[in-house]
Amino acid sequence: MTTDICPDYLEAWESAAIIAAADMEHWQLVFTILWETGIRLGECLALKASDILPGQLRIQIEKRRKPVEGLVVIRPFLEQRLRDYAARSKGSRLFPYTRAAAWLAVKRATKKAGILHNVHCHMFRHGFGHRLANMPSLGKTPLEHLRIVQEMMHHAQMRSTEVYIRPGKKDVDEAWRRVSGR
């Protein structure tokens, strides 16, 4: 992967197929949270029942020098699923699993879903960022749009956000197909 293209990201159909193919309810929820909110895997795995707020999740943002708390908006269906799951879970963390366990779970679900390319958990976040960056304007100007994406992705540096406005490999491949008439 070169720095001139967007990192690999999941398409909506791939995300839906992986979530449906996940073999356990907790992995379906983890993958849904990653897709719906764009939070990092570690932020998701650290969630507690008390982090489920009306219409939002409270997260401890990773990749910062000192811990920073953030909020992400969640849709009602996800809030209800999380509340139901939290009511049945034991322990303080909702998902007391390791990153390695999540990696194995996404590999199993990807294979079961029939997706042939290499998928990792961070691709859900890349899919979220790519969707945000390509939405009709979120701000009054292109810079304001990008700043909103930066805030929603909880990026400290604009450089981290700019990657999502670059075309992805899939975008370049599609352009080549269209140009060649295939």
Side-chain angles (χ1 to χ4, degrees):
M1 179 173 67
T2 68
T3 57
D4 293 339
I5 62 173
C6 181
D8 288 337
Y9 57 89
L10 290 178
E11 303 276 351
W13 72 268
E14 292 172 315
S15 172
I18 292 168
I19 291 166
D23 54 5
M24 306 283 282
E25 178 189 21
H26 57 266
W27 293 127
Q28 290 176 344
L29 273 172
V30 166
F31 301 153
T32 300
I33 291 167
L34 297 178
W35 177 254
E36 289 279 325
T37 67
I39 66 175
R40 296 169 184 91
L41 178 60
E43 295 163 350
C44 181
L45 295 178
L47 288 171
K48 301 180 293 279
S50 60
D51 293 326
I52 306 168
L53 307 173
Q56 297 178 318
L57 285 177
R58 180 180 33 240
I59 62 169
Q60 294 301 313
I61 300 170
E62 294 183 340
K63 302 262 184 160
R64 300 287 173 103
R65 288 193 175 130
K66 58 183 176 179
V68 177
E69 199 172 88
L71 295 172
V72 293
V73 173
I74 55 174
R75 295 193 295 165
F77 89 92
L78 183 54
E79 179 183 348
Q80 190 57 55
R81 282 190 64 198
L82 281 168
R83 288 189 186 286
D84 293 345
Y85 180 79
R88 296 188 313 272
S89 33
K90 301 172 180 123
S92 61
R93 286 180 26 213
L94 288 176
F95 309 110
Y97 306 102
T98 64
R99 292 171 197 261
W103 186 86
L104 289 172
V106 82
K107 294 295 178 193
R108 280 193 313 271
T110 298
K111 184 176 181 179
K112 186 175 173 185
I115 296 170
L116 302 177
H117 63 89
N118 186 32
V119 173
H120 52 82
C121 292
H122 207 67
M123 290 172 73
F124 288 98
R125 180 172 170 79
H126 290 311
F128 182 81
H130 190 76
R131 288 193 324 270
L132 285 179
N134 289 286
M135 283 181 127
S137 185
L138 297 172
K140 296 176 186 141
T141 66
L143 181 59
E144 189 175 288
H145 177 94
L146 197 55
R147 290 272 188 210
I148 291 169
V149 174
Q150 177 187 9
E151 185 67 28
M152 291 177 74
M153 297 290 295
H154 297 104
H155 285 151
Q157 302 293 320
M158 181 61 78
R159 283 189 316 261
S160 301
T161 309
E162 288 172 351
V163 71
Y164 296 108
I165 63 172
R166 298 179 187 141
K169 182 178 182 328
K170 295 172 188 176
D171 302 316
V172 174
D173 291 346
E174 175 61 23
W176 275 113
R177 277 192 290 282
R178 290 175 63 196
V179 166
S180 65
R182 293 183 194 183

